[in-house]
Amino acid sequence: PADVAQAVDLVKRVRDGGVSVIAIEHVMAAIMAISDRIVVINSGRMIAEGSPDEIAHDNGWIDDAALRARAKKFGKNDYGRYLDGLLD
């Protein structure tokens, strides 16, 4: 949506100005677009950490049942492949 695109543009400008940004977000496309480093947290615990590319290609963290259900919502059995498309 346009709101997400505007927020991503704003965060990129702030980040590119030399300011560190910590964001909590569920829109993975936005996080992939603005992040150098991502921490995936589920039910209060860290289940993955890495660059957007590492997160997109490491399917180990998807073993959590709640995340797997969310991945199926996107029509993909492999959430990493879905995220991979966001990196292009």
Side-chain angles (χ1 to χ4, degrees):
D3 294 351
V4 173
Q6 290 174 338
V8 166
D9 288 341
L10 175 63
V11 172
K12 281 182 176 180
R13 286 196 309 268
V14 170
R15 180 200 63 196
D16 292 347
V19 176
S20 295
V21 177
I22 297 173
I24 299 170
E25 182 56 66
H26 294 93
V27 178
M28 290 304 293
I31 291 300
M32 291 294 191
I34 64 172
S35 299
D36 296 321
R37 204 97 192 120
I38 296 172
V39 175
V40 180
I41 298 173
N42 190 44
S43 298
R45 64 185 177 87
M46 184 177 76
I47 60 173
E49 179 181 11
S51 69
D53 189 57
E54 290 167 335
I55 294 296
H57 293 97
D58 175 12
N59 291 323
W61 61 272
I62 197 61
D63 287 339
D64 184 284
L67 293 174
R68 182 169 295 143
R70 186 171 177 89
K72 287 181 182 177
K73 178 180 174 183
F74 290 107
K76 302 280 186 182
N77 289 330
D78 181 346
Y79 199 57
R81 275 189 233 146
Y82 166 75
L83 296 177
D84 190 36
L86 300 177
L87 296 174
D88 298 334

